[in-house]
Amino acid sequence: MFNFFKYKKSLAFISLSCLVVILLATCTQTVPESSEIRIGLIAPFNGDAAETTGNPTERGAKLAIQPINEKGGLEIDGKKYQVSLIIKDDRDNPDEAAAVTNELINQEKVIAIVGPPRSRSAIPAAEVAERAKIPMISTKSTNPQTTANKEYVFRVIYTDALQGKAIARFSAQDLKITKAAVLYDVANDYSRDLATIFKQEFEGLGAQVVAFENYTTDVQDFQVLLTKIRESKAELIFLPNYAEEVAKQAKQIKELGLNVTLIGGDSWGSLLEESYTDLEGAFLAEVWTVDLPNPENKHFLEEYHKTYQEPVNSHAALTYDAVNLILEIAQKQGKADPESIREGLAHLKNYQGATGSISYEGSGDPVKSLAILQIKNNKLEFYQQIDP
């Protein structure tokens, strides 16, 4: 006699067995199902930010991918995969950054994300990437919040803490400054945190911050604040602000006849050359310079100039290293899935890139040196290196 319940039970067992097989096949997959590896790239492509940050970021990423695709793709486990770059514009806006990160993960199905470069966008993007367990490498966000308490978020630049302390030590010990002023954007995490760290370290070295003035994003006129700084008798002004703002501030400092030393963070690396006239003699911290004496940097510069015939900045170099990191790790791991990429990054030691050696020791923050540059004769010149 036909036993319906026994038959139904058998079907259920078969269905469950098939499901287990499917799940096991999915879990043990070592390469992408398609013939491509998809990497997301997030940067601002609106207004001045496009020219100083977004476009160089895109060029650096494409320069890393181009030679691999020209050779037939990235070889993983004996098979070659074309590398696709999926580019999103964060519009230099935190909400937009979170939204496009979601798009890259849920719609574009990327295995990893490079960017955003700016801290105010990188912080919310990092939260999205961490929840989704997708590796993200910010190219130029130095804010500690970007990687704090995260397993899937990394950066290829040092933190604000390291940078702020290094600039303060350089100002007090190398430049022998005893009185400094700070002008910063209180609504910008990058600017505010660098300002705070600099003040703490500088005063800890026995020097004085005699003026600590703030403004909010999009302010154009700094005359009142700069007049206060002039009255403070500061010998140096620290401007931990984005390049577009620094250009305006330097011009107004010059118009006021303030005879002080100017110094800034790595965001100055995005300054357009026409701004250098107002910043003659100023110092800045930077993660990279064309004068870094390593073969990887030399190769990067040769390829960049051959491909684009344009000046290069640190955004391009850092993005070039970040994309190459993901591709090299995928190849070494023999897998191009998010978890394998994360695992490879977490244990990376002494990767030699265009921006120098990169290692990770227990967090997404790299062990890395810092360069001090000076603007002289309308050029950026290497001044000295500060080791961590």
Side-chain angles (χ1 to χ4, degrees), residues 204-258:
L205 293 168
Q208 291 180 277
V209 173
V210 293
F212 197 65
E213 304 296 333
N214 69 72
Y215 61 93
T216 54
T217 310
D218 297 329
V219 166
Q220 304 295 315
D221 189 348
F222 303 95
Q223 297 286 335
V224 173
L225 297 175
L226 291 173
T227 298
K228 288 182 181 180
I229 289 173
R230 181 172 62 184
E231 293 170 354
S232 74
K233 307 298 182 185
E235 306 161 303
L236 172 146
I237 304 177
F238 178 40
L239 301 171
N241 310 313
Y242 286 161
E244 304 94 286
E245 296 169 336
V246 170
K248 296 182 180 74
Q249 291 160 3
K251 185 176 181 63
Q252 292 177 38
I253 286 169
K254 191 174 182 179
E255 289 170 352
L256 277 174
L258 268 167

Side-chain angles (χ1 to χ4, degrees), residues 35-50:
S35 59
E36 65 174 346
I37 293 172
R38 298 169 72 82
I39 296 175
L41 180 74
I42 305 174
F45 293 95
N46 61 309
D48 291 342

Side-chain angles (χ1 to χ4, degrees), residues 94 118-124 141-146 160 184-197 217 240 242:
R118 294 182 166 184
S119 292
R120 61 184 170 213
S121 293
I123 292 170
S141 169
T142 54
N143 190 292
Q145 290 183 52
T146 301
D160 284 342
Y184 67 100
D185 181 354
V186 71
N188 183 330
D189 290 332
Y190 169 87
S191 182
R192 184 183 62 249
D193 290 349
L194 264 184
T196 303
I197 293 163
T217 310
Y242 286 161

Side-chain angles (χ1 to χ4, degrees), residues 23-319:
L23 288 173
L24 285 174
T26 303
C27 293
T28 57
Q29 183 183 354
T30 60
V31 293
E33 291 181 4
S34 67
S35 59
E36 65 174 346
I37 293 172
R38 298 169 72 82
I39 296 175
L41 180 74
I42 305 174
F45 293 95
N46 61 309
D48 291 342
E51 188 172 355
T52 62
T53 305
N55 294 339
T57 296
E58 181 179 349
R59 293 186 195 114
K62 288 182 175 178
L63 194 67
I65 290 170
Q66 180 181 324
I68 292 172
N69 284 340
E70 286 177 349
K71 294 177 181 177
L74 185 72
E75 185 170 339
I76 298 177
D77 197 25
K79 185 177 177 181
K80 288 191 173 183
Y81 295 83
Q82 286 287 302
V83 181
S84 296
L85 190 67
I86 314 300
I87 302 170
K88 296 289 183 179
D89 182 2
D90 66 20
R91 300 184 183 278
D92 201 16
N93 179 284
D95 292 335
E96 188 69 16
V100 297
T101 304
N102 264 312
E103 287 177 17
L104 286 171
I105 294 169
N106 298 313
Q107 297 176 26
E108 302 293 351
K109 307 299 182 184
V110 298
I111 63 161
I113 295 170
V114 173
R118 294 182 166 184
S119 292
R120 61 184 170 213
S121 293
I123 292 170
E127 295 292 338
V128 175
E130 182 70 15
R131 286 197 300 270
K133 296 186 177 182
I134 297 294
M136 171 183 138
I137 305 178
S138 176
T139 50
K140 225 177 179 188
S141 169
T142 54
N143 190 292
Q145 290 183 52
T146 301
T147 56
N149 303 314
K150 297 180 180 70
E151 294 183 24
Y152 290 80
V153 182
F154 300 80
R155 70 178 103 230
V156 284
I157 193 171
Y158 39 67
T159 62
D160 284 342
L162 186 150
Q163 181 182 190
K165 289 177 180 179
I167 294 170
R169 290 198 304 271
F170 174 75
S171 299
Q173 297 173 349
D174 294 86
L175 298 182
K176 309 299 182 186
I177 300 295
T178 60
K179 294 180 180 181
V182 182
L183 177 63
Y184 67 100
D185 181 354
V186 71
N188 183 330
D189 290 332
Y190 169 87
S191 182
R192 184 183 62 249
D193 290 349
L194 264 184
T196 303
I197 293 163
F198 173 91
K199 185 175 187 293
Q200 291 172 347
E201 185 74 8
F202 192 71
E203 292 179 336
L205 293 168
Q208 291 180 277
V209 173
V210 293
F212 197 65
E213 304 296 333
N214 69 72
Y215 61 93
T216 54
T217 310
D218 297 329
V219 166
Q220 304 295 315
D221 189 348
F222 303 95
Q223 297 286 335
V224 173
L225 297 175
L226 291 173
T227 298
K228 288 182 181 180
I229 289 173
R230 181 172 62 184
E231 293 170 354
S232 74
K233 307 298 182 185
E235 306 161 303
L236 172 146
I237 304 177
F238 178 40
L239 301 171
N241 310 313
Y242 286 161
E244 304 94 286
E245 296 169 336
V246 170
K248 296 182 180 74
Q249 291 160 3
K251 185 176 181 63
Q252 292 177 38
I253 286 169
K254 191 174 182 179
E255 289 170 352
L256 277 174
L258 268 167
N259 186 24
V260 293
T261 300
L262 301 180
I263 192 165
D266 49 25
S267 62
W268 283 29
S270 299
L271 282 164
L272 300 177
E273 289 186 13
E274 52 258 38
S275 303
Y276 288 177
T277 302
D278 295 326
L279 288 159
E280 179 67 21
F283 296 94
L284 62 143
E286 188 55 283
V287 68
W288 173 86
T289 169
V290 293
D291 297 320
L292 281 181
N294 67 65
E296 292 78 17
N297 188 44
K298 183 180 178 181
H299 173 74
F300 163 71
L301 290 171
E302 288 174 351
E303 293 303 309
Y304 191 94
H305 292 309
K306 184 170 65 177
T307 304
Y308 300 114
Q309 296 89 44
E310 292 183 6
V312 57
N313 68 19
S314 58
H315 284 289
L318 288 162
T319 307

